[in-house]
Amino acid sequence: MTPHSDGAAALAAVARFNDAFDRRDVDAVMAAMTVDCVFEDTAPPDGTRHVGQDAVRVAWEKLFSGAGTFTTEEVFAAGDRVVARWRYEWGDGHVRGVDVFTVRDGLVAEKLAYVKG
């Protein structure tokens, strides 16, 4: 994707990723990501960085084993970058956060997650 892109291709790539994510389908999530993918989770204080298909798969499996649910509140793109605002709920609690995605060749290359403190 070129820097002058309107973001439609990036939005489509993230939509495929999010659809698989919402189904907790680890295989489909990984198929939506590049071989050299990166996921930075929200673990304090700076998040844990997971690099490559194997490490990212383990992070998703751990996350999906929990009982919480994500609700996407807003998604928008700027070129090959996509920002998604979300809410994560469990039991009687919740947090709100943002994911910053980088898309390359129609796949999610990077997902950096942040939460409100």
Side-chain angles (χ1 to χ4, degrees):
M1 178 172 294
T2 66
H4 303 291
S5 168
D6 66 2
L11 284 170
V14 170
R16 283 189 301 277
F17 174 93
N18 282 338
D19 180 58
F21 191 92
D22 290 345
R23 294 189 324 265
R24 297 178 178 229
D25 182 341
V26 176
D27 290 336
V29 169
M30 297 314 303
M33 299 187 83
T34 62
V35 172
D36 61 343
C37 58
V38 173
F39 166 52
E40 288 185 2
D41 65 28
T42 61
D46 295 319
T48 301
R49 187 173 176 89
H50 309 273
V51 179
Q53 285 266 329
D54 292 341
V56 172
R57 174 182 287 277
V58 169
W60 295 143
E61 288 170 346
K62 181 178 177 184
L63 179 66
F64 294 161
S65 71
T69 58
F70 284 90
T71 302
T72 301
E73 297 178 329
E74 178 183 18
V75 180
F76 61 90
D80 65 351
R81 293 290 195 128
V82 174
V83 175
R85 287 187 320 107
W86 48 261
R87 178 181 167 108
Y88 181 70
E89 297 180 54
W90 67 92
D92 293 334
H94 76 274
V95 293
R96 294 181 70 221
V98 170
D99 288 337
V100 179
F101 293 87
T102 301
V103 174
R104 185 175 70 238
D105 299 326
L107 298 171
V108 171
E110 185 176 61
K111 180 181 184 290
L112 309 177
Y114 302 89
V115 296
K116 289 185 168 225

